[in-house]
Amino acid sequence: MTTHLRVAAAGPSSTVQDRGRVGYQRYGVSVAGAADPLLHAVANALVGNPASEGAVEFTMLGDTLTVEGGPVRLAVAGDAALFVDDQPVPSWTSLRLRDGETLRVGALREGTRGYWAVEGGFALDPVLGSVATHSRSRMGGLHGTALKAGDRIPLRLDAAADRGEATLDPSLLPTRGEAIRVVLGPQDDAFTPAGIAAFLDGDYSVSHEADRMGYRLTGPVIEHARGFNITSDGIPLGAVQVPGTGQPIVLLADRQTTGGYPKIACVIGPDVAALAQKKPGDRLRFRAVSVAEAQAIHARHRTALAGLPGLLRAAGGFALYDSARLLGFNLIGGAVTGWE
Amino acid sequence: MSVTSPSSPSLSPRLLAAGDGALIVELGEGVAPALNAAVHRLDRRIADAGLPGVVETVPTYRSVLVVFDPALTSPDALGPALLDLARDLARPTAEPQRRWIVPVCFGGAHGEDLDDVARRANLTSDEVVALHCAADYRVYMLGFSPGFAYLGGLPDALHQPRRENPRMVTPAGSVMQGGAQAAISPIAMPSGWHLLGRTPIKTFDLRRTPPFLLAPGDRIRFSPITAAEYDRLAARDGLSPDQETVTDDQQGAAA
């Protein structure tokens, strides 16, 4: 019998994500994929999966999962309260659950998105090369949309081996600065100098219209130079589009492929995830960097991420993976998000 | 949005910054067949060039979004190479293109807005259908939702503003018009465009290889069918429309 995880209770928006659906934007297919690829990679690393494996991204509140079969090795990345059959267990640490045991992933104490991964991954058929869920087009994931109570998620591995568990100290992860860094363009010439100054000098807050597709912000009005319609063109990750209201919308993983509002700037890859961890009411400022600076930030980020497997420690004094396995984690690479 | 002459576009390629993982090559402004044809020529050249680090491209009306892996290349390395590929795009080439003959059941329950479109254009519904079926449509781009094809080439007599009240759901396979454009929408979606008819052809079908029938740059002609033919064709699985090969030289033949 195939081992399953039964969703006893689902968080408000929990979706299977990987690094996204690459190569189909030209056909109108959104990339999707993890909104915070770093934490997604951490959850996978904790259970010994490559970073490209599908894992569940939960929003604010996690899911309650009961093992059918097993045992199942599972880990949560994110500061959430966890309970196995009502006994508290640590986050950022893999654990092995037996048939009938239930893991409850509670609310995140920090950030908006956490991830849980299972060793071996989910037994789901990729759609156009990816298991990433894109709810708006009902593509990928378990049934094209968010997990719901009663779902049974088939696992690729019937029984996880009895071996040491892994843990990671999240304070060692790359820190995220206050400002959200942007490169101006592609249509910064569609705005007045006063409009660009308002965008770069103003305080913005995340509105309640904030999801995996985009974050609508409220703050100083960004003045257009000549109307707010452009001939529809492609939308890069992190694009800041400004519709007629003058209030910016930052477009994230589930964004539409094309659009007709001018884009004043694009958030750089490493900061897209930082933004996606903010919640309604959070405040933020933008800071312009040159393309060369953005490239340098990206390179530093890759170096930090390359060291991620080295941050894994054995939990409870057991021997962890051998070094060959660590090197095989492949936490770098993948251009989907521009973050790795 | 300007509409320029269909022949001899004056292309002025320029690079636009698009963050740290993408660049945009913009060839001009507005919506025009020759400009869009140049976009598709550039898109093909980028694919053929195999530039290191290029992940995917999104050709649109007048530009190509080039997504790259910042670990493998940079705007400094990629930009000049892309501008180089954007030289001499204005001249039409004789590269073969696909033209699909797409069967459409116009009007009635299949196209609720046909009569309204005709009334606003001071035409009969049959005349509107005849105009649509005589038009030589070009897939300007696919976007918005999976397989949604924006078609350029809507006859001037049919240009009309979109609906004031967008519909929350339009049926899969809808053939529509909005503003100066027509579209085929393979999946049910909200839309403010006018519904003219439905095609039994599934232009997006995950069970088929390839799942997307239409590609940016393809040409389309509509062919009218009856409701009975629609039902008969819709019941068949894996149906593909007839296809012929045309070249850029023939563009605008119906304009």
Side-chain angles (χ1 to χ4, degrees):
Chain A
M1 188 196 89
T2 307
T3 293
H4 286 76
L5 283 175
R6 186 166 53 78
V7 180
S13 180
S14 298
T15 53
V16 175
Q17 298 296 343
D18 55 17
R19 294 197 288 191
R21 203 160 270 116
V22 185
Y24 296 94
Q25 290 189 79
R26 61 193 294 103
Y27 298 110
V29 177
S30 297
V31 177
D36 187 341
L38 170 66
L39 286 198
H40 179 272
V42 168
N44 270 320
L46 285 166
V47 294
N49 289 344
S52 55
E53 191 61 63
V56 168
E57 176 180 301
F58 61 93
T59 313
M60 312 296 277
L61 181 69
D63 312 290
T64 302
L65 309 159
T66 302
V67 173
E68 296 180 350
V72 172
R73 178 164 286 105
L74 194 149
V76 176
D79 281 314
L82 307 184
F83 304 89
V84 173
D85 293 344
D86 293 327
Q87 290 298 309
V89 294
S91 196
W92 308 103
T93 304
S94 66
L95 55 102
R96 192 160 163 266
L97 298 171
R98 293 175 191 286
D99 188 23
E101 287 188 315
T102 295
L103 172 72
R104 180 157 63 87
V105 183
L108 286 168
R109 287 177 286 253
E110 217 181 290
T112 301
R113 289 161 219 287
Y115 296 85
W116 57 263
V118 295
E119 182 177 356
F122 306 122
L124 296 174
D125 291 329
V127 177
L128 302 177
S130 165
V131 296
T133 310
H134 187 255
S135 300
R136 276 182 175 77
S137 59
R138 302 190 75 80
M139 198 178 280
L142 197 56
H143 29 56
T145 186
L147 301 185
K148 57 186 190 306
D151 282 343
R152 293 174 75 242
I153 310 171
L155 306 185
R156 218 180 271 134
L157 200 60
D158 276 335
D162 186 6
R163 60 169 161 80
E165 303 299 341
T167 188
L168 179 142
D169 176 357
S171 70
L172 300 176
L173 294 174
T175 52
R176 286 169 171 166
E178 285 305 303
I180 299 292
R181 291 162 294 188
V182 300
V183 174
L184 288 175
Q187 282 100 28
D188 47 328
D189 60 357
F191 299 88
T192 63
I196 291 174
F199 170 65
L200 293 176
D201 298 340
D203 277 317
Y204 287 90
S205 63
V206 178
S207 79
H208 284 275
E209 291 174 81
D211 62 15
R212 285 181 41 82
M213 185 177 184
Y215 272 32
R216 193 182 285 265
L217 309 178
T218 52
V221 167
I222 301 166
E223 186 184 39
H224 296 89
R226 45 176 188 285
F228 53 86
N229 284 297
I230 61 164
T231 306
S232 289
D233 70 351
I235 301 180
L237 177 68
V240 185
Q241 70 174 20
V242 185
T245 58
Q247 300 288 287
I249 302 170
V250 186
L251 293 158
L252 305 177
D254 278 6
R255 70 197 180 278
Q256 66 276 34
T257 56
T258 56
Y261 292 121
K263 296 167 281 292
I264 191 170
C266 295
V267 176
I268 66 170
D271 287 2
V272 170
L275 179 68
Q277 285 292 3
K278 294 191 184 294
K279 52 184 176 299
D282 284 355
R283 305 187 72 80
L284 63 99
R285 289 179 83 103
F286 293 102
R287 183 160 73 78
V289 295
S290 68
V291 172
E293 279 177 90
Q295 292 285 121
I297 294 164
H298 221 289
R300 285 202 296 277
H301 207 77
R302 282 197 303 277
T303 307
L305 279 173
L308 195 51
L311 301 181
L312 295 179
R313 294 286 175 265
F318 291 96
L320 194 54
Y321 316 112
D322 58 52
S323 56
R325 183 111 193 251
L326 281 177
L327 290 171
F329 275 148
N330 184 27
L331 292 166
I332 337 169
V336 185
T337 58
W339 158 261
E340 291 100 337
Chain B
M1 199 177 280
S2 63
V3 177
T4 55
S5 153
S7 59
S8 66
S10 57
L11 299 179
S12 45
R14 60 177 190 144
L15 289 173
L16 304 179
D20 56 352
L23 274 173
I24 291 172
V25 190
E26 187 182 273
L27 297 184
E29 266 301 322
V31 177
L35 175 59
N36 187 248
V39 165
H40 296 306
R41 280 195 288 278
L42 173 61
D43 186 60
R44 272 195 301 274
R45 285 187 192 175
I46 296 170
D48 292 344
L51 301 172
V54 171
V55 174
E56 63 180 307
T57 58
V58 188
T60 59
Y61 291 106
R62 42 83 191 232
S63 67
V64 181
L65 173 70
V66 181
V67 182
F68 63 84
D69 182 345
L72 299 178
T73 188
S74 68
D76 284 349
L78 195 55
L82 292 172
L83 281 181
D84 205 42
L85 292 174
R87 284 173 210 246
D88 304 323
L89 282 170
R91 198 176 330 113
T93 52
E95 289 170 71
Q97 292 174 311
R98 302 186 300 179
R99 175 149 63 194
W100 303 98
I101 312 295
V102 175
V104 179
C105 178
F106 286 98
H110 295 80
E112 291 180 24
D113 299 330
L114 177 66
D115 294 343
D116 286 344
V117 167
R119 188 170 39 73
R120 273 192 298 274
N122 289 318
L123 297 167
T124 66
S125 295
D126 284 348
E127 286 169 333
V128 172
V129 170
L131 279 170
H132 271 288
C133 292
D136 180 22
Y137 286 110
R138 173 188 292 275
V139 179
Y140 273 0
M141 66 178 198
L142 285 86
F144 182 71
S145 68
F148 185 92
Y150 291 87
L151 307 181
L154 181 70
D156 289 349
L158 295 177
H159 292 194
Q160 293 179 5
R162 295 176 193 183
R163 286 170 60 88
E164 281 181 21
N165 271 328
R167 286 187 174 86
M168 289 316 287
V169 179
T170 56
S174 287
V175 172
M176 325 188 277
Q177 65 168 67
Q181 291 177 82
I184 305 173
S185 174
I187 62 176
M189 53 177 270
S191 173
W193 293 36
H194 304 286
L195 302 180
L196 302 165
R198 281 181 81 184
T199 176
I201 303 292
K202 294 179 178 65
T203 56
F204 169 45
D205 186 350
L206 282 169
R207 295 168 303 174
R208 185 183 52 214
T209 306
F212 298 95
L213 202 61
L214 307 179
D218 281 2
R219 312 277 281 278
I220 304 279
R221 261 185 206 280
F222 293 128
S223 166
I225 57 171
T226 64
E229 284 173 304
Y230 176 92
D231 290 342
R232 187 176 58 78
L233 292 170
R236 282 169 54 185
D237 240 8
L239 183 67
S240 275
D242 295 331
Q243 188 188 336
E244 54 189 38
T245 299
V246 294
T247 68
D248 254 358
D249 294 332
Q250 296 162 267
Q251 80 179 12

